[in-house]
Amino acid sequence: MQNLWRAQKTTEAGANLFIELNYFVNHLILIKIIRKMSMISLTGTYDTPNGSRYLQQLCKHFAHKVEAQCTENSGFAALGFGDTTFVATDSALVITIALKGGEDPMDAQRMIDAHLVRFAFREEFETMSWSIDAHAAHH
């Protein structure tokens, strides 16, 4: 540890590199701990008056490959990265994904967003507003 401290103090550029590398390593370790000890859920929200239409399109599309079902205002799909629920209101589409252990949240977000880009092209959709929630897994 003393050698690292000396290397950090040697130059400002070196110190900044050390700090950035240290942050990156700690971030990776934290992600691994969260994935092992937590249940991660993602929630995407898209403000649109057409949530019901997109919910039904997504569920029907996913039903060709996985278990999926829907009504006008709610749906479910057993996607590869985790169970996914869909809720449509008059003003939004909300998608919640309970990620399976070890799945990358960014992959799930990209996949859902990519499908909505095709279905919501008239609205020039780009991405849902995503949030992530990690909570202790029940053992």
Side-chain angles (χ1 to χ4, degrees), residues 46 54-55 57-58 93 95 111-121 125 127-128 130:
Y46 177 44
Y54 302 141
L55 177 153
Q57 286 178 303
L58 287 165
L93 172 63
I95 299 175
M111 196 276 275
I112 296 293
D113 284 343
H115 282 82
L116 276 172
V117 162
R118 292 192 307 233
F119 296 136
F121 65 93
F125 172 86
T127 183
M128 298 190 89
W130 290 99

Side-chain angles (χ1 to χ4, degrees), residues 61-136:
H61 174 77
F62 294 139
H64 292 289
K65 296 190 179 220
V66 299
E67 175 194 346
Q69 53 195 349
C70 70
T71 65
E72 245 181 65
N73 298 313
S74 66
F76 169 83
L79 299 176
F81 45 72
D83 290 344
T84 304
T85 57
F86 307 84
V87 176
T89 66
D90 291 339
S91 60
L93 172 63
V94 179
I95 299 175
T96 302
I97 305 165
L99 286 176
K100 291 180 180 176
E103 292 293 331
D104 186 342
M106 293 302 293
D107 289 343
Q109 290 174 16
R110 279 191 289 271
M111 196 276 275
I112 296 293
D113 284 343
H115 282 82
L116 276 172
V117 162
R118 292 192 307 233
F119 296 136
F121 65 93
R122 288 179 190 88
E123 295 182 35
E124 299 179 10
F125 172 86
E126 292 181 16
T127 183
M128 298 190 89
S129 174
W130 290 99
S131 63
I132 189 166
D133 181 34
H135 46 276

Side-chain angles (χ1 to χ4, degrees), residues 15-48:
N16 288 339
L17 179 62
F18 174 79
I19 291 168
E20 288 175 22
L21 181 59
N22 192 33
Y23 172 80
F24 179 73
V25 170
N26 287 336
H27 182 72
L28 291 176
I29 291 168
L30 181 60
I31 288 172
K32 287 182 180 183
I33 290 170
I34 288 173
R35 284 185 180 164
K36 287 183 181 180
M37 300 184 67
S38 299
M39 180 70 171
I40 297 175
S41 63
L42 295 172
T43 301
T45 303
Y46 177 44
D47 294 328
T48 176

